[in-house]
Each structure stands twice: as structure tokens, then as C-alpha cells.
Amino acid sequence: MRRAGLFLCLLLLALPASAQRARDLGIEPGIFEPGTHNAITDVAGVRVGHRTLIEGDSVRTGVTAIVPHEGDVFNEKVPAAVYVGNGFGKAAGFLQVQELGTIETPIVLTNTLSVGTALDAVVRWTLGRHPNVRSVNAVVGETNDAYLNDIRGLHVTTEDVWAAIDSAASGPVAEGNVGAGTGTTLFGWKGGIGTASRVLPASLGGYTVGVLIQGNYGGVLTIDGRRVGEALGQYSFRDHVPAGSPSERDGSCMIVIATDAPVSPRNLERMARRAVLGLARTGSFMSNGSGDFVIAFSTQNRSTGAPVENVQNLANHRMSPLFLGTIEAVEEAVYNALVAAETMQGAGGRVREAISLK
């Protein structure tokens, strides 16, 4: 066992099993401080809701919704951008976001085969609130939870998506085995939803950046620079498992970034590109079968529909602190997903163990 792994294992052994977030374990990656809740909801107005489906011995899935602000998102579209780290996935609505640089609906995350249902549900949710709308670009992301969930059963319903959106709230965000993270796997352990934030010092603008991830991918787990996956004997290609085999630790990650900085869609895309560096810090190598998608938006400069809009755009040379804050928040959100997740048994009697905290 390498010294770095031994150090972290001893740290875990010394801590109570009730610890629920990375900072409860003394894991505080990065140089910037988190916000009040260390969550994407630290960006004022951003809300998160979950719908968790745990039924019988095989339904382990759900929906997570991120609502960009407290107003009418369709009529007050937010500046946005998308980035694809590795495109093995089924993201919906990305092309229009890329083309127009705005998001006009809540962002919904679910499982791979429920993207169609979620897309239809978000469209219906929007049409129900806007009688004259003839077109809407619903934004939906996914990861594949088929190891624990009866994904072919198509258990997510329109009502489940609506419930996630309508339950969205500010404040602390539930993590781990909830919503779209109910049946996911992370580095071979139980994965889930994770979130974190960073607040820049006043001298760097004082802006907040928040992140939420749906963690469902493999690699060689690294925690705050320590090679934990190797130390615990849980990592991709252990014993040279052939690439593409059922036992290879593969999967995906959806990342949603929010900020209150007045950032243009072009610079939001630059932030989104940095998010995958946060994944790399955790030990991801974006495998062949990993769909790594990023959505970034700003709560400032909302579109009013006016022919000419006056906006403020943060200058390029002021973006670097936001880049680093994004990377740090992604990294910690992954750790929070791992720490919060609990051991789960699902479809076919298969089990994903939680990472050991004792």
C-alpha cells in the first residue's frame, strides 16, 4: 500500500461513520472557500429538486432538476453554454444552447432510457405555463444506471419529472442515493448526486460558482491528490480486465455549473471546458464508454426578448479565478457524491458498496 493511500485510509478509520460530506472527513480541496451550503444553490436563485424511485428489488433510479432562477425561465432565458468531454451519451437540447447561448427551461437529469420521457415532460411542463408557446428547447442529461436499476422497465414517468421540478428549492441539496443518482456507480463504489461551490475573494470579484454532478464513471480514484483507488484495490483495469468487458469500471458524468458572474456564453463555454479538469483531479480518464457532458449558465444578463439588450460581460482577463473555482467545485462535488452514497442492492441482486468511512 502506497504511503498516500495509507494516510487517507488511516484518516477514514479515525472518523465517525456519521460523516456525510468530504469536509467532514477533513478533505478540503483547493484554495477558494465554499459558500454557505457548499452547493450549487449558493448561487442566488438557483434551486434543485429530486424525485427518487426505489421500488421492489429492481427499481433504483430517479430525476434531478436544476432551476436556474426564481423567475420565469422561458421568458427570462439565462446565458448558457455546453461542452462535451466524451460524447458517449444522450444529452438533449445541447445544439440549440450551443447555437443561441441561452437556456429556457429547467435542466433535468435522469437515466439513459428515460431521456425521451424527461424531454416530453419538460416540454409539457413549459407549455402548461405558456399557452402561446410553439417551440421550446428542453435540456436533459443522463447517465446509465442499469447495473442497479431495471432500466429497460422505463419506470420514470412524466409525473416524476414534474415532481422533481416542482420540488426544487434553495438551501442545502440532498446528495448520494437521490434523484438521478439513485442507481449510479462511481469508481466501482456506490455513486450519486454531489454538489459544491466556491466564492471568490472580493478582490477577485466576489462571485460564486456552484456545481452539481451526477456521478457514474470509473477510473483510478484520487482524493485531494492521494491515490485512494489503488490503496483500496478498486480501480479500472485492475488485474488487466479487458477494455469493454462487463467488469470494466465504465460510465458517465453530467456536470451542471452555475455562477452569478456576468459571464458571456463564450466564456461560459470556457468554464465548462475546465470542468473536465476537475474530473481528472478525481481520477477520471473519460473512458470510451463515458458520456461526460457539461452545462454552464449565469444568472446574470437574463434575456428579456428586447430587440437590443444591454448586458455586462466579465472581461477575459478576469475569468481565471472562475476557471479555478469551477475545477475545485467539480472535484469536491465528486467527493461529496461518494461520501454521501450508501450501499445499495438492486436489479438482479447486484450490490454496490459505499466507500468505507470506518
Side-chain angles (χ1 to χ4, degrees):
M1 180 179 292
R2 291 179 172 84
R3 182 175 299 177
L6 177 61
F7 177 87
L8 189 76
C9 290
L10 291 173
L11 173 62
L12 294 174
L13 288 168
L15 289 162
S18 59
Q20 291 298 308
R21 306 197 81 191
R23 287 180 182 257
D24 297 326
L25 305 179
I27 301 168
E28 302 180 359
I31 62 171
F32 293 136
E33 292 296 319
T36 301
H37 303 292
N38 196 13
I40 193 171
T41 51
D42 287 326
V43 178
V46 176
R47 293 172 289 145
V48 174
H50 299 299
R51 175 69 164 173
T52 302
L53 301 178
I54 299 177
E55 301 169 5
D57 59 5
S58 61
V59 179
R60 305 288 187 270
T61 193
V63 181
T64 295
I66 300 93
V67 182
H69 60 73
E70 69 287 347
D72 182 339
V73 180
F74 185 84
N75 285 323
E76 297 178 72
K77 298 171 176 55
V78 294
V82 295
Y83 177 69
V84 180
N86 192 65
F88 199 116
K90 318 298 182 290
F94 273 38
L95 283 179
Q96 184 168 312
V97 175
Q98 185 178 48
E99 182 71 22
L100 301 184
T102 58
I103 286 177
E104 59 189 25
T105 71
I107 300 161
V108 168
L109 308 179
T110 187
N111 72 62
T112 303
L113 297 188
S114 294
V115 169
T117 297
L119 185 68
D120 180 73
V122 175
V123 168
R124 291 179 183 276
W125 185 90
T126 305
L127 295 181
R129 287 157 176 76
H130 300 88
N132 298 320
V133 167
R134 293 178 180 269
S135 177
V136 59
N137 185 49
V139 178
V140 179
E142 55 79 29
T143 70
N144 194 313
D145 57 15
Y147 187 81
L148 292 175
N149 176 49
D150 171 28
I151 196 169
R152 289 174 55 88
L154 303 175
H155 298 285
V156 172
T157 67
T158 296
E159 290 72 22
D160 293 323
V161 178
W162 291 349
I165 298 172
D166 292 338
S167 68
S170 57
V173 176
E175 297 173 298
N177 301 1
V178 294
T182 301
T184 62
T185 298
L186 196 51
F187 294 107
W189 288 283
K190 183 66 187 70
I193 296 294
T195 189
S197 69
R198 291 294 184 271
V199 179
L200 303 186
S203 61
L204 297 176
Y207 303 116
T208 298
V209 57
V211 165
L212 182 141
I213 67 105
Q214 178 190 15
N216 190 48
Y217 62 91
V220 183
L221 176 61
T222 303
I223 296 182
D224 206 10
R226 302 183 185 279
R227 296 160 67 175
V228 177
E230 291 172 87
L232 299 181
Q234 179 85 287
Y235 53 92
S236 292
F237 311 122
R238 180 188 176 190
D239 302 323
H240 305 286
V241 175
S245 73
S247 58
E248 182 191 354
R249 293 162 178 82
D250 221 336
S252 303
C253 190
M254 287 296 310
I255 303 172
V256 180
I257 303 167
T259 185
D260 58 7
V263 181
S264 67
R266 178 181 57 80
N267 272 330
L268 284 167
E269 182 181 356
R270 297 177 75 204
M271 289 176 66
R273 291 203 302 265
R274 268 66 177 187
V276 298
L277 299 180
L279 289 187
R281 284 189 175 189
T282 70
S284 167
F285 56 91
M286 295 195 298
S287 67
N288 174 72
S290 188
D292 302 298
F293 294 85
V294 189
I295 305 166
F297 67 88
S298 168
T299 58
Q300 304 303 305
N301 295 326
R302 301 177 196 174
S303 175
T304 63
V308 177
E309 296 179 332
N310 294 317
V311 299
Q312 290 185 322
N313 284 327
L314 193 66
N316 290 337
H317 69 270
R318 301 289 288 183
M319 288 299 301
S320 290
L322 286 170
F323 294 159
L324 181 55
T326 297
I327 293 167
E328 292 182 2
V330 169
E331 180 184 10
E332 187 165 351
V334 171
Y335 302 154
N336 283 335
L338 268 174
V339 171
E342 298 177 350
T343 297
M344 176 172 282
Q345 182 174 4
R350 293 185 289 273
V351 176
R352 280 298 187 215
E353 300 285 345
I355 191 168
S356 178
L357 302 180
K358 61 179 181 178

